[in-house]
Amino acid sequence: DVHIIGKDILWFHTVIWPCILMSAGLPLPKTVFAHGFVNDKDGKKMSKSVGNTVDPHDMLDTFDIDSFRWYLCKEAPYGGELSFSEESMRDMHNADLVKTLGNLVQRATKLCGKYCDGVIPDVPSPDPPVLEFLAVRKAYISEMEVFALEKGAEVAIQACRDINGYLTQEEPWKLKGEEFAEKRQVVVRATLEAVYAVAHLLLPFIPKGASEIFKKMNTPPKSLCDIDPSLRNLTAGTKIDVGDILYAVSQSEEEKKLSKAEASKNKKASYEEAQRLKKEKKAKEIAASKAAAQKGNAASDQPAFTKIDIRVGQITKVWHHPEADKLFCEEIDVGEEGGPRQIASGLREHYSLEDMQDRKVLVVCNLKAAKIVGFSSNGMVLAAKSDDGKKVELVSPPADAPVGERVFIEGLTGEALSSTQVKKKKIWDSVSKGLKTGENGVATWDGKEIMTSAGVCSASSLVGAPIS
């Protein structure tokens, strides 16, 4: 029914060719679609003599076939011409296929594994729905039926952006506790259902990636018109596979060289900075140790709690320890000129990366640095722990507590000792025995509330739990 041709042979194929078909008694095309030329990046016609041609095979050696198809369909205006640019194709690949679609699929499948045991949960639909799929499908079909491929592609990728927006807005990773278990599963299933439906819109453009989505969801595609617009197309109990990412970030040769050079430069600078900080820290410890020795026993009646340096810290960076399943590695700002401290904490069974990022915590700062599964940890993050060890809650300062402020107990004063003195005199062993949560989860030492200038520090729900 459709005859697709280049614009330079339009007259022949709308006059001469139909006459030939009529004389042979063959049916005529109902539509003739004439497309424009693919020009070079400056809009000039490609020519071997000029030397501005682009070999599609060379492009396919560099880019995924889906990326090539997506760019040609989405970049070219309806019936117009395309100024082909490798840089534009790379930007579109990274923006649409990697950051928008790829990240969405990876997030949704991982959340299913975390909150739904890796299967489609049997839960109701959200109200309002993630997408008004009936309207999305109608807009998509209306564009595709008139061969406006770039507009059809935009409808599909905009739907992906809307699903990403829904997931970011709902934030299931912030819904803690069993009372929110069903709510988390509602969000996860709604996201997966929407991704499955939108994958049908992407199938003509990126068949490889769309097919991989159907495989991850262990559910084959349907006819577009057979998709339930209420987004209930997946069967409860169906296994969801996380698998590999759909698309990798594409870099030009210059970007790759720059990345390697920057990595080498940063590594060298980081090493030099680390050595400088190490020397400074050592010098401060020696000075503090001498000062403590000069004081002798003058401070023998100083309350033990005041000998420990506990400060308000904020986690600026967090990642999984590469070799220990239960450990986070963190960089925590405690207000020091040398920058954030690196600290390891065994909280992965109780918190996610999203929970930890940018969180304010209490940090014990004058403990000796220790190697924990190969990671140099320079401090301790305080948390309350239930008697059976199954529940662990971070002890948090008030949200507006200043980063770097040293916590205190009203009526108790004294300077913190150096890490050398704390270890030698076993100060932390003594102090930690008196740390526990009191009424409403408030952190206490020997029954006295631990404070900041903004108020008390506390765990979210544990009462009478030891803090360490």
Side-chain angles (χ1 to χ4, degrees), residues 119-189:
V119 299
I120 296 294
D122 187 9
V123 290
S125 302
D127 185 23
V130 182
L131 289 175
E132 293 293 345
F133 189 73
L134 203 61
V136 172
R137 180 170 58 187
K138 183 179 179 181
Y140 175 82
I141 291 175
S142 67
E143 300 294 358
M144 298 296 281
E145 283 183 338
V146 296
F147 315 110
L149 301 185
E150 83 288 359
K151 293 182 179 178
E154 182 56 37
V155 170
I157 201 66
Q158 182 57 51
C160 292
R161 296 186 192 108
D162 292 341
I163 302 169
N164 259 323
Y166 166 80
L167 190 56
T168 301
Q169 178 180 324
E170 294 299 322
E171 298 180 314
W173 48 86
K174 288 190 176 180
L175 301 174
K176 303 297 182 183
E178 282 302 309
E179 65 270 27
F180 293 112
E182 183 177 277
K183 171 63 175 174
R184 291 195 296 267
Q185 292 183 349
V186 167
V187 174
V188 172
R189 176 165 183 177

Side-chain angles (χ1 to χ4, degrees), residues 43-63:
K44 297 177 182 178
K45 188 176 180 179
M46 289 190 187
S47 168
K48 289 183 179 179
S49 60
V50 176
N52 62 348
T53 58
V54 176
D55 189 337
H57 296 287
D58 291 342
M59 290 298 100
L60 292 176
D61 289 340
T62 304
F63 293 93

Side-chain angles (χ1 to χ4, degrees), residues 271-422:
Y271 175 78
E272 292 174 349
E273 178 68 7
Q275 292 298 103
R276 183 185 68 80
L277 293 175
K278 187 175 180 181
K279 289 179 180 178
E280 286 184 0
K281 183 185 172 188
K282 188 71 177 177
K284 287 180 180 178
E285 287 182 352
I286 293 173
S289 181
K290 289 180 178 178
Q294 290 173 356
K295 289 181 180 178
N297 297 321
S300 59
D301 58 346
Q302 178 183 343
F305 180 82
T306 64
K307 298 176 183 179
I308 296 296
D309 185 7
I310 303 175
R311 300 184 214 163
V312 175
Q314 185 164 28
I315 300 173
T316 59
K317 184 178 179 182
V318 59
W319 64 98
H320 290 151
H321 193 294
E323 298 176 12
D325 293 340
K326 296 183 180 181
L327 292 181
F328 283 125
C329 298
E330 304 134 1
E331 288 186 1
I332 305 180
D333 181 6
V334 291
E336 294 175 322
E337 291 183 3
R341 291 183 174 220
Q342 287 198 332
I343 296 176
S345 56
L347 297 168
R348 276 175 65 176
E349 293 182 345
H350 309 282
Y351 291 89
S352 67
L353 288 172
E354 291 86 356
D355 297 329
M356 298 291 284
Q357 183 63 45
D358 299 323
R359 192 184 189 106
K360 285 188 176 179
V361 291
L362 295 189
V363 180
V364 184
C365 293
N366 58 342
L367 300 179
K368 276 282 190 181
K371 283 278 187 181
I372 302 179
V373 196
F375 181 81
S376 182
S377 182
N378 191 20
M380 178 190 295
V381 175
L382 293 183
K385 189 175 185 179
S386 61
D387 292 335
D388 58 9
K390 292 182 179 180
K391 192 170 186 179
V392 174
E393 294 177 352
L394 285 165
V395 177
S396 302
D400 53 349
V403 170
E405 180 184 13
R406 187 182 174 200
V407 302
F408 61 90
I409 292 175
E410 289 187 352
L412 302 185
T413 58
E415 293 295 321
L417 301 186
S418 69
S419 59
T420 302
Q421 290 293 316
V422 168

